[in-house]
Amino acid sequence: MKSIVSLILCLLFLSASYAQQQAFTLQDSLRGSITPEREWWDLLFYDLDVSVNPKEKYIEGTNLIRYKVLDENQLMQIDLQEPLRITSVKQKGKPLSFTSKGFAHFIELKEKQHIGEIGEIEISYAGTPKEAVNAPWDGGFSWKKDKNGKHFIATSCQGLGASVWWPNKDHMYDEVDSMAIRVTVPKDLVAVANGRLINKEETSTTTTFDWYVTNPINNYGVNINIGDYVLFEDTYQGEKGELDLTYYVLRDNVEKAKKQFEQVPPMLNAFEHWFGPYPFYEDSFKLVEVPYLGMEHQSSITYGNGYQNGYLGVDLSGTGWGLKFDFIIIHESGHEWFANNITYKDIADMWIHEGFTAYSENLYLDYNYGTKASEEYVLGTRRRIQNDRPIIGPYGVNKAGSSDMYYKGANILHTLRQLLEDDEKWRQILRGLNSRFYHQTVTTGEIENYLSEKTGIDLTAFFEQYLRTTQIPVLEYRISDDSITYRYTNIVSDFDMPVRIYIGEQEHWLFPKDNWKTEKLENADQLVFDQNIYVLPMAIVE
Ligand SMILES: [Zn+2]
């Protein structure tokens, strides 16, 4: 009998893993893994030069890639998605040949690559890029017009990949140290990319805008936005001195923007307090209006929330607190710390971006409206948790986990804050994350280990439970004659997170495990569970 059961289980397991494997293609692996043709070279610098022809929805350009040789190899993977095509590849002025597997192009270098040497390769490309279906989620180029009939264009590409509009090493583990972005557009338009505008050149028909990013930048963080923009500026006195605030909005929206963007300084106050200095002072802070909702493009946050509070006017928490701030200004700016400063190596770990940033929404409230407001907000967002799939996705195939990475992620971090019972220590841990992993790409394991080490709590089972299963711990309990009997169910092994309760004003901690335990508790019938800790209390009726 036992052997039949285990055989059935084994078959189930095999068929499940078979189905899992079948769901992914060679293209998924080429996109999502560190292939041998990527691994041998380290990105140093991109010099991207692109001309945009709005009328024809056509682009052409070059990307000069500077790299350091880590290992001897002469086959280099560069990614560019159809219908864009590579028109030439050159090294030291000599053309190189390549073979293609879909978006992955394997360039055959003629010269032997010596470890430690710096090389450069220039990719020329052209074509009509994929048009965004539902930016920013299903991205590409958004070719829109403003109310005055002027072109209003933007790129967005998280998940899909930057190779949808320019050739690059399209994997998140490796970032350039700095980047130049040169954009040529028709003369009546302004092009805004990341970093600072360092030069502008005009011909009789076009303007070329030279943007420069002096910090490491991830691929999907790179963007270009084109429109009939008006610029206005401000400065912010922050932890690292003077920060330039630069705003590009459509001509008709300047007055509305000046009012709405007054939320930027209180946002920076809150996030510098909780997370440490804004991570890109050298590159300035920008908000740039776009024809879609918004995205965390590094040092050029894109904005399309209609100059209103909430998420397109809606409070995601249902508590009223979500209407106290402009969701896109707060959320997308939070990503400067968690996404752009600390960046996932694999999109399977996307909760590092979205969990911490969803959590930043309630820290914004905490700083500006108090802890009670922030608690109500984060508890309010709990109703959005689906527990459909684990938060962490499959590795190596460019697939994210459940959208629970947002609000379950926020509630996990909010729970952790309760366990510490020391807000100042918690703040130092969040700031510590941003200095320990400053301008780096990371795995969830590194974040988990850091949090375990700095909190002094072994969080292995905690993260296993909340990130890798869809189970929410159930706290079963019975109350009788000044005592409480309780245990956990629906937990992974070794999960033993304490739970806070109140009897009147009196605070008390329970230490549940998977076996029943009884303890004496005066006035136990008056107990209230602290909802800030994300478990499901369940009274067991005898
Ligand atoms: Zn986000």
Side-chain angles (χ1 to χ4, degrees):
M1 184 63 187
K2 195 183 165 196
S3 64
I4 291 171
V5 170
S6 61
L7 181 66
I8 291 168
L9 284 174
C10 186
L11 282 171
L12 278 173
F13 174 75
L14 273 176
S15 61
S17 74
Y18 180 72
Q20 179 98 343
Q21 279 168 17
Q22 286 299 295
F24 300 116
T25 63
L26 172 64
Q27 289 283 288
D28 293 327
S29 297
L30 287 175
R31 173 78 176 81
S33 68
I34 304 169
T35 61
E37 294 79 16
R38 282 175 171 151
E39 197 173 18
W40 68 267
W41 53 286
D42 178 40
L43 275 171
L44 298 179
F45 182 66
Y46 286 134
D47 190 345
L48 177 65
D49 187 336
V50 58
S51 290
V52 179
N53 181 339
K55 232 167 115 185
E56 307 295 330
K57 296 186 178 178
Y58 182 86
I59 65 172
E60 62 185 323
T62 57
N63 187 21
L64 178 92
I65 303 171
R66 192 175 303 143
Y67 61 93
K68 186 175 177 180
V69 179
L70 302 177
D71 229 327
E72 288 180 7
N73 196 319
Q74 282 171 245
L75 200 58
M76 175 183 266
Q77 180 181 342
I78 295 293
D79 308 307
L80 182 69
Q81 298 177 32
E82 290 177 331
L84 291 174
R85 60 186 194 285
I86 292 179
T87 52
S88 79
V89 182
K90 284 182 190 160
Q91 187 157 48
K92 293 183 180 170
K94 291 182 197 142
L96 298 176
S97 59
F98 59 93
T99 54
S100 303
K101 286 180 186 157
F103 66 85
H105 308 282
F106 297 91
I107 296 161
E108 293 153 32
L109 304 182
K110 284 183 181 157
E111 289 186 13
K112 194 164 160 50
Q113 303 291 301
H114 301 284
I115 294 173
E117 274 182 4
I118 310 284
E120 283 185 353
I121 188 163
E122 189 179 74
I123 320 285
S124 299
Y125 75 111
T128 304
K130 177 184 180 290
E131 190 161 348
V133 177
N134 182 26
W137 302 279
D138 191 351
F141 257 79
S142 297
W143 304 97
K144 305 286 181 189
K145 295 233 171 124
D146 70 13
K147 280 183 191 155
N148 303 320
K150 293 258 196 178
H151 289 289
F152 189 24
I153 300 160
T155 60
S156 58
C157 57
Q158 188 180 19
L160 179 63
S163 56
V164 75
W165 69 274
W166 55 286
N168 60 83
K169 181 196 262 191
D170 208 355
H171 193 289
M172 294 289 288
Y173 85 100
D174 196 4
E175 293 185 356
V176 286
D177 301 329
S178 55
M179 179 168 183
I181 307 158
R182 194 170 308 104
V183 194
T184 302
V185 294
K187 206 170 181 175
D188 60 332
L189 297 170
V190 175
V192 185
N194 312 75
R196 288 182 188 270
L197 182 64
I198 54 166
N199 194 28
K200 206 168 98 172
E201 269 175 45
E202 293 187 9
T203 68
S204 57
T205 54
T206 63
T207 313
T208 299
F209 295 84
D210 272 344
W211 292 87
Y212 199 88
V213 182
T214 62
N215 285 301
I217 184 167
N218 72 52
N219 288 355
Y220 84 83
V222 177
N223 73 148
I224 56 175
N225 309 286
I226 300 162
D228 181 22
Y229 286 128
V230 172
L231 161 72
F232 64 96
E233 292 172 293
D234 198 357
T235 52
Y236 173 78
Q237 291 300 327
E239 288 193 14
K240 270 175 79 176
E242 196 162 279
L243 172 62
D244 295 325
L245 309 177
T246 311
Y247 306 121
Y248 286 89
V249 300
L250 290 183
R251 188 167 301 280
D252 288 357
N253 294 336
V254 176
E255 290 316 310
K256 275 191 275 186
K258 280 185 173 166
K259 180 93 195 61
Q260 193 71 1
F261 294 176
E262 283 173 4
Q263 294 187 30
V264 169
M267 173 277 291
L268 288 166
N269 289 341
F271 291 165
E272 288 211 326
H273 172 80
W274 281 104
F275 300 147
Y278 171 72
F280 308 102
Y281 270 70
E282 306 77 9
D283 291 324
S284 81
F285 174 88
K286 289 196 295 300
L287 288 175
V288 185
E289 185 171 355
V290 287
Y292 62 85
L293 184 59
M295 179 51 74
E296 63 260 28
H297 297 117
Q298 184 174 311
S299 72
S300 67
I301 301 292
T302 46
Y303 178 88
N305 199 34
Y307 303 103
Q308 60 190 326
N309 281 359
Y311 178 103
L312 291 171
V314 174
D315 173 10
L316 293 179
S317 75
T319 63
W321 291 113
L323 293 177
K324 295 286 183 193
F325 60 92
D326 185 314
F327 180 88
I328 291 300
I329 295 177
I330 305 310
H331 178 93
E332 304 307 340
S333 300
H335 277 307
E336 293 284 21
W337 285 263
F338 293 96
N340 297 337
N341 188 37
I342 305 175
T343 308
Y344 58 66
K345 276 194 162 78
D346 188 311
I347 199 170
D349 289 337
M350 189 170 165
W351 84 281
I352 297 167
H353 296 196
E354 299 302 348
F356 280 91
T357 301
Y359 181 58
S360 79
E361 295 157 24
N362 81 82
L363 291 182
Y364 169 84
L365 285 169
D366 190 296
Y367 187 87
N368 289 297
Y369 296 90
T371 301
K372 194 161 185 310
S374 84
E375 287 178 358
E376 286 176 14
Y377 180 83
V378 73
L379 293 182
T381 61
R382 222 176 254 181
R383 69 200 176 114
R384 300 192 165 269
I385 299 171
Q386 315 264 328
N387 285 310
D388 54 347
R389 288 184 296 136
I391 284 178
I392 292 188
Y395 289 98
V397 285
N398 193 43
K399 290 285 180 291
S402 165
S403 61
D404 283 346
M405 68 178 83
Y406 289 78
Y407 292 110
K408 189 173 168 187
N411 273 282
I412 294 168
L413 295 168
H414 183 64
T415 298
L416 209 42
R417 175 182 179 176
Q418 312 309 313
L419 300 183
L420 272 187
E421 290 189 286
D422 184 341
D423 283 352
E424 181 53 23
K425 186 174 178 186
W426 180 232
R427 185 171 84 97
Q428 293 306 333
I429 289 171
L430 295 171
R431 291 173 69 95
L433 272 173
N434 276 283
S435 56
R436 167 67 184 81
F437 299 106
Y438 184 71
H439 291 178
Q440 286 177 32
T441 62
V442 301
T443 63
T444 192
E446 289 174 290
I447 299 296
E448 289 173 51
N449 290 341
Y450 184 88
L451 291 173
S452 279
E453 186 194 321
K454 297 297 173 188
T455 57
I457 306 168
D458 182 352
L459 296 168
T460 312
F462 176 87
F463 285 121
E464 189 65 23
Q465 175 86 29
Y466 288 112
L467 296 179
R468 297 182 182 84
T469 81
T470 56
Q471 296 162 251
I472 300 307
V474 174
L475 182 68
E476 295 184 347
Y477 68 98
R478 271 196 311 264
I479 288 170
S480 53
D481 297 340
D482 288 356
S483 74
I484 180 169
T485 301
Y486 57 90
R487 70 166 182 185
Y488 269 137
T489 58
N490 212 31
I491 53 167
V492 301
S493 59
D494 299 329
F495 184 89
D496 60 356
M497 181 179 75
V499 171
R500 187 163 49 199
I501 58 170
Y502 293 98
I503 295 172
E505 294 289 293
Q506 196 109 49
E507 176 187 306
H508 185 84
W509 286 87
L510 301 179
F511 295 89
K513 293 193 173 192
D514 60 359
N515 54 328
W516 287 107
K517 94 167 49 160
T518 300
E519 66 182 82
K520 210 166 154 27
L521 195 64
E522 296 219 349
N523 302 317
D525 57 333
Q526 292 166 34
L527 80 84
V528 175
F529 287 94
D530 182 356
Q531 287 187 54
N532 291 300
I533 293 172
Y534 186 33
V535 297
L536 301 174
M538 188 190 283
I540 301 295
V541 183
E542 285 175 83

